[in-house]
Amino acid sequence: MREKNVVQTKNLDWTYNGTKVLDDVSITIKPGTFTGILGPNGAGKTTLLKLILNLLDNEKDSVLITGKDIKTYSRKALAKIEAYVPQSVKIDFNFTVEQVVLMGRTPFLGRFDRESNEDIKIAEWAMQETGVLKLRGKLITHLSGGELQRVVIARALTQEPAILALDEPTSHLDIHHQINILSIIRSLAKRKNLTIVAVLHDVNHALEYCDNIFLLDQGKIVNSGSPEKVITPKVMKEVYNLNVNITKNPFTGNPYMLHDYA
Amino acid sequence: MISGKYRKIIFTLLVLILLGTIMIAGSLGSARISFSDVIKIIISPITPVGVENNVIKETSRIIIWKIRMPRIVLTVIAGMGLGVSGAVFQGIFRNPMANPYILGISSGAAFGVTLGMTMGLQITFLGIGAIPISAFIGAVGASVIVYLISGGGRDILPLLLSGIAIGFFLSAMMSLLMYFNRSQLENIVYWTMGSFNASSWQKAAITAPVILPGILFLIIFARDLNLMVLGEDSASSLGIPVRKSRLIFLLISTIITASAVAVSGVIGFVGLIVPHAMRIITGPDHRTLIPYSMMGGAILLLVSDTIARTIIAPTEIPVGIVTSLLGAPFFLFLLNRMRHPK
């Protein structure tokens, strides 16, 4: 992935049942960066994420992945580049953790192939990274929310993707697991030159972890750039109608947002 | 759940149980034929003509080849089909409680048969009479209508609900037809209870080339089903063309189910219970679950049919009654086991 922009959208529009969900959205994402998509509920964050995964039908040439129109990729070819961690995963069938993680190798397997030892090694690596290796034999239906989320991330890593797209990866998790998961992801981005695109709700998480933020409101990009540039008292008042103060986190030295409760 | 190395052993065991059941089913009936004679008669076409063959009564030979074997073979094929399509429907609907009749196949088939009987339909096709033909058309037709009115399988829930609605509608239409054609009432009701008593080699010969390749195809594509269980977006992002795959899975398992229903009537519970019970042994991996459900369906249906035709001989009870009588308590046992594990 030596291309300059690993993900790019050009004047992307998306209409659902007559309502414009995304309006002229143009973004560019550079390889190896951690990009946050922020915005109030209903701003179109998940829609944008799904469009850059080709999970929704969009127009030709409006989404480019590593410089090529996303429509020119087969599903299988795209699955070797992009992996997806959906907002909530509900599995009623009692697969083991290892079985679910190994499913990440599917795009690399032929119709009659079974997973090879090499595939299992990759899955083990992913489970090691996300701290679920010791759960490999456990049933997926018996996991806690945090464990399940880490298993789903491990499955995505097993795809060995260049781009990892996550939709609110920390919702339903306690504060410890929120930080744990975001730190795992950030560390992967740095060490593996993995491009992260994550829909985030917690502004302070975005300030701490993101290299770049796209702030969406009513389907439009209202601000983009580095966290300190995007998250300002003025913008937060406009978009969230919230009075905020940006200070510095004494632990990390990164910006930290305080807000009133009026 | 069993680990990899036991998978083949238990599958072999199921094959042996099925072969044993075939021997027992061949032996039991109004004329009792000994196991050894059954085996000798069955393998006689492939053994060189010897003295031994002559000691077996010609009537036994006729009973086995002309009466019992067609029925056994047809029962086994239908049971395989119902077991497999049950597993597939449960996977597609991501619900372990789904069954092959969920898209209105049973009411479609029953409506088709009722319509055919009341109109006095007299068609035949490749030696197959009007009843299986009208059942097959009704079953496939109902599924196609359900698929189309639910928006082409865009989502699972509308498919499920449309299936229920069409099922009720067709049942009401069938009742209406029955109400005004009471002379056919007994025939129709008897058909809906399911039976293999009208089995023939013709039926087996026309059902096998539909159901068996269908099962093979489903086994080959079983991995896609594993991913589809995780949800549409997850499966898509793992490289599965979900809508296309779902249509293919639905189409093939519908044709399998419709073929089974056409030659035997509506046999309940096999497609629900077999995959459910097999999943306890194999876990949810469809690559293992589908072949296991194939064997489980064949065994359960053959045992049920043998009970149905022998328990109060010479009277035969519809096999659908036996499967539900055996199936319902067993199903409740499984449910209970799920609610209170260990």
Side-chain angles (χ1 to χ4, degrees), chain A residues 173-184:
Chain A
L173 301 186
D174 64 46
I175 184 89
H176 166 78
H177 282 109
Q178 290 178 13
I179 292 163
N180 175 245
I181 280 181
L182 289 170
S183 299
I184 289 168

Side-chain angles (χ1 to χ4, degrees), chain A residues 2 167 246:
Chain A
R2 289 295 107 193
D167 196 350
I246 308 294

Side-chain angles (χ1 to χ4, degrees), chain B residues 260-308:
Chain B
V261 169
V263 294
S264 64
V266 181
I267 298 170
F269 263 111
V270 176
L272 176 68
I273 276 189
V274 166
H276 212 79
M278 292 300 134
R279 202 176 283 112
I280 292 172
I281 306 173
T282 65
D285 188 340
H286 290 89
R287 291 175 289 184
T288 319
L289 179 62
I290 290 178
Y292 268 69
S293 297
M294 174 178 89
M295 298 313 294
I299 293 166
L300 177 63
L301 201 52
L302 186 54
V303 168
S304 300
D305 184 58
T306 308
I307 293 173

Side-chain angles (χ1 to χ4, degrees), chain A residues 50 93 110-111 113 155 159, chain B residues 221 223-224 229-230 233 237:
Chain A
K50 284 190 174 182
F93 288 79
R111 174 55 57 202
D113 292 345
R155 187 191 68 202
Q159 281 171 262
Chain B
F221 282 82
R223 192 174 56 211
D224 293 11
V229 164
L230 304 183
D233 284 344
S237 70

Side-chain angles (χ1 to χ4, degrees), chain A residues 189-202:
Chain A
K190 298 286 169 274
R191 286 183 290 127
K192 297 264 158 190
N193 200 35
L194 184 63
T195 308
I196 310 285
V197 189
V199 169
L200 297 173
H201 258 312
D202 191 314

Side-chain angles (χ1 to χ4, degrees), chain B residues 30-316:
Chain B
S30 49
R32 181 80 166 74
I33 300 169
S34 72
F35 289 139
S36 64
D37 282 1
V38 173
I39 295 169
K40 280 176 201 153
I41 291 167
I42 290 175
I43 64 169
S44 63
I46 52 168
T47 49
V49 185
V51 201
E52 227 185 344
N53 281 337
N54 301 329
V55 297
I56 297 166
K57 276 190 294 183
E58 192 56 28
T59 47
S60 300
R61 203 182 294 280
I62 289 169
I63 287 169
I64 291 291
W65 281 119
K66 294 266 158 81
I67 299 168
R68 288 189 193 158
M69 277 318 276
R71 181 170 183 152
I72 289 169
V73 169
L74 194 64
T75 308
V76 165
I77 294 169
M80 285 176 166
L82 289 174
V84 168
S85 57
V88 172
F89 274 105
Q90 290 175 1
I92 289 173
F93 288 95
R94 277 188 264 147
N95 187 337
M97 299 290 145
N99 72 72
Y101 302 144
I102 205 158
L103 292 186
I105 289 179
S106 53
S107 28
F111 173 72
V113 165
T114 308
L115 198 64
M117 280 184 184
T118 52
M119 291 195 325
L121 208 60
Q122 292 292 340
I123 45 166
T124 54
F125 176 71
L126 297 175
I128 300 292
I131 291 175
I133 291 174
S134 46
F136 185 82
I137 293 173
V140 174
S143 302
V144 170
I145 291 170
V146 167
Y147 186 79
L148 293 178
I149 62 172
S150 63
R154 200 174 281 267
D155 285 308
I156 291 171
L157 193 62
L159 208 56
L160 199 67
L161 296 175
S162 308
I164 293 170
I166 292 293
F168 272 108
F169 181 80
L170 290 174
S171 296
M173 291 289 284
M174 181 179 106
S175 301
L176 196 68
L177 282 175
M178 283 159 71
Y179 188 75
F180 287 113
N181 297 278
R182 294 186 204 184
S183 60
Q184 295 286 348
L185 209 58
E186 198 186 326
N187 286 338
I188 295 167
V189 170
Y190 188 73
W191 185 86
T192 60
M193 289 175 179
S195 174
F196 285 99
N197 68 349
S199 297
S200 65
W201 279 119
Q202 259 122 321
K203 280 185 183 171
I206 208 161
T207 322
V210 177
I211 291 183
L212 300 181
I215 292 174
L216 187 66
F217 180 91
L218 293 172
I219 291 173
I220 292 171
F221 282 82
R223 192 174 56 211
D224 293 11
L225 209 50
N226 287 347
L227 300 175
M228 283 157 77
V229 164
L230 304 183
E232 183 163 345
D233 284 344
S234 293
S236 298
S237 70
L238 285 164
I240 307 296
V242 174
R243 270 178 219 165
K244 197 173 105 194
S245 299
R246 187 187 293 153
L247 174 62
I248 294 171
F249 277 119
L250 283 178
L251 194 70
I252 291 182
S253 36
T254 294
I255 289 173
I256 289 176
T257 309
S259 307
V261 169
V263 294
S264 64
V266 181
I267 298 170
F269 263 111
V270 176
L272 176 68
I273 276 189
V274 166
H276 212 79
M278 292 300 134
R279 202 176 283 112
I280 292 172
I281 306 173
T282 65
D285 188 340
H286 290 89
R287 291 175 289 184
T288 319
L289 179 62
I290 290 178
Y292 268 69
S293 297
M294 174 178 89
M295 298 313 294
I299 293 166
L300 177 63
L301 201 52
L302 186 54
V303 168
S304 300
D305 184 58
T306 308
I307 293 173
R309 67 183 171 83
T310 55
I311 194 160
I312 48 165
T315 310
E316 187 174 305

